Amino acid sequence: MHGGAQTTGQIAIARGGPERITDLRALWESLHEHNAVIATQLIELGPVRSPENSWALRRNRYARWLSEPDAFVLLAKGPSRPVGYALVHMRGAEETWATDERIARLETLAVLPAYRGRGIGSALVDAVYRELRALDVRQLDVSVIAYNSDAVRFFERLGLARHQVSYLGTIPA
Ligand SMILES: CC(C)(COP(=O)(O)OP(=O)(O)OC[C@H]1O[C@@H](n2cnc3c(N)ncnc32)[C@H](O)[C@@H]1OP(=O)(O)O)[C@@H](O)C(=O)NCCC(=O)NCCS
């Protein structure tokens, strides 16, 4: 089930499961770094975690998600190590809208900074779509940090509907 490979344009993409989690660390840390820059606009949330601490939390979540049925990670191959990944697992239906029973949740899409803007993120999304069609899953959900305007533009171009706005803050003492 895991480990299939496909090529989108010039970009080789491999599918994996929990055995690939350790390969995601540098990529996750680059995304964390990206979020840390954005966090300067979210100063009320306080300081960001160290990359090590962030990865320790994320790694555990990846292990849990990738143990679920039909969850997968797609890795974009680079010269010596992966340069991008997309991690997907399944969630249930929306209660308000008459969606399908299963909706794919794109938990992470990340490309190393030096490789951004070359079509790798788009190729990963195309490959995610192919995997989901094979699973007969037709809907996709993804959240982006407010102020991540590059990523917002990227996802809006995919034609997904702007859905929820979420809030995070401290309860008054
Ligand atoms: C968002 C991201 C996955 C897109 O991957 P990519 O390989 O750069 O994307 P592509 O080359 O296929 O498409 C380019 C588009 O990506 C977006 N983009 C985001 N950051 C970018 C960057 N640093 N350089 C260029 N494009 C970027 C833009 O929308 C760009 O389109 P534009 O021509 O309108 O500027 C990647 O830029 C990234 O890892 N960003 C940091 C992590 C992140 O924000 N992830 C999304 C939240 S889960």
Side-chain angles (χ1 to χ4, degrees), residues 30-32 34-35 38 58 85 106-113 115-124 142-145 148-155 157:
S30 80
L31 173 58
H32 178 68
H34 185 78
N35 288 344
I38 292 164
R58 194 64 175 184
Y85 73 106
L106 175 59
E107 288 289 352
T108 310
L109 177 71
V111 173
L112 286 177
Y115 291 85
R116 288 179 196 154
R118 300 187 193 178
I120 296 173
S122 303
L124 280 164
V142 57
S143 301
V144 182
I145 295 176
N148 189 355
S149 50
D150 288 333
V152 166
R153 206 164 56 247
F154 180 91
F155 289 120
R157 208 161 29 217

Side-chain angles (χ1 to χ4, degrees), residues 3-62:
Q6 51 182 288
T7 304
T8 303
Q10 295 305 305
I11 301 149
I13 293 175
R15 176 180 167 138
E19 77 290 349
R20 297 306 303 267
I21 289 175
T22 50
D23 298 332
L24 305 179
R25 179 175 182 155
L27 283 152
W28 170 258
E29 290 186 355
S30 80
L31 173 58
H32 178 68
E33 172 68 34
H34 185 78
N35 288 344
V37 173
I38 292 164
T40 55
Q41 288 161 289
L42 288 165
I43 202 81
E44 63 275 20
L45 294 181
V48 295
R49 296 177 187 280
S50 68
E52 300 74 32
N53 189 225
S54 174
W55 173 241
L57 286 175
R58 194 64 175 184
R59 187 184 55 208
N60 288 338
R61 289 187 182 153
Y62 282 168

Side-chain angles (χ1 to χ4, degrees), residues 1-8 11-16 20 73-77 127 130-131:
M1 181 170 120
H2 297 308
Q6 51 182 288
T7 304
T8 303
I11 301 149
I13 293 175
R15 176 180 167 138
R20 297 306 303 267
V73 60
L74 299 180
L75 296 103
K77 198 171 180 315
R130 272 197 297 279
E131 294 289 338

